Every structure is written in structure tokens, then in C-alpha cells.
Amino acid sequence: MAVAASPAAAGSPLLVAAIIGQPILIVIYGITLAISVWLFRDARRRQRSIPVAVGWAIGGFVLPGIVHFGYLYGRVNNTSSAPERPPE
């Protein structure tokens, strides 16, 4: 037996949060995925092995708050392994 929703439940904040929350999550995960792809490509550009680059990318998707900042911190402090530009 189905229970009919009351008119008061239709305007509840919980329903509004469920409707609004999904597009925001899609955007957040899209940005996280894009940054993880950038991590992979940047690691490969800096001559890291494929397993290491994949590890950074997967870690960046699973624990983005820790891995993204950790990678950037290591990238800034390890300028010796940065690819050199040819003299202009």
C-alpha cells in the first residue's frame, strides 16, 4: 500500500536539498576528475613512471583534499625535476 505525500512534505527543505544537491555533486566530482587528469598528465610530463602517475591520479580522485595539495606542495618544492625550457 503506497503512502501519499502530504502537501507540506512537498515543500520541505529535505526535498529541496535533494534536488539542488545532485547538480552540485556532479560539478564537484567533475572538477575533481579534471584535476586528477591534470595530475596524471603533469606527472608524466615530469618523467614520472606510469604507475606513479596513475597513483597520483587515483589518489587525487579518492582523497582529493590531501593528495591535490600534497602533489602541488611537492611540485613547488622540487623544482630540480621540472622540465627545462630551451633558452630563448
Side-chain angles (χ1 to χ4, degrees):
M1 176 171 190
V3 177
S6 68
S12 72
L14 209 57
L15 178 64
V16 173
I19 292 171
I20 292 176
Q22 295 304 322
I24 291 172
L25 287 177
I26 291 169
V27 169
I28 289 171
Y29 281 119
I31 291 170
T32 301
L33 181 63
I35 293 173
S36 293
V37 168
W38 177 83
L39 281 179
F40 175 80
R41 294 179 68 186
D42 187 64
R44 288 299 296 152
R45 192 176 318 124
R46 293 174 173 270
Q47 285 78 38
R48 302 292 189 259
S49 66
I50 290 177
V52 170
V54 168
W56 279 111
I58 291 173
F61 193 72
V62 175
L63 295 170
I66 297 169
V67 175
H68 291 168
F69 291 114
Y71 182 83
L72 290 175
Y73 180 77
R75 185 176 188 266
V76 169
N77 287 333
N78 191 7
T79 57
S80 63
S81 67
E84 294 183 13
R85 290 185 171 175
E88 294 180 15

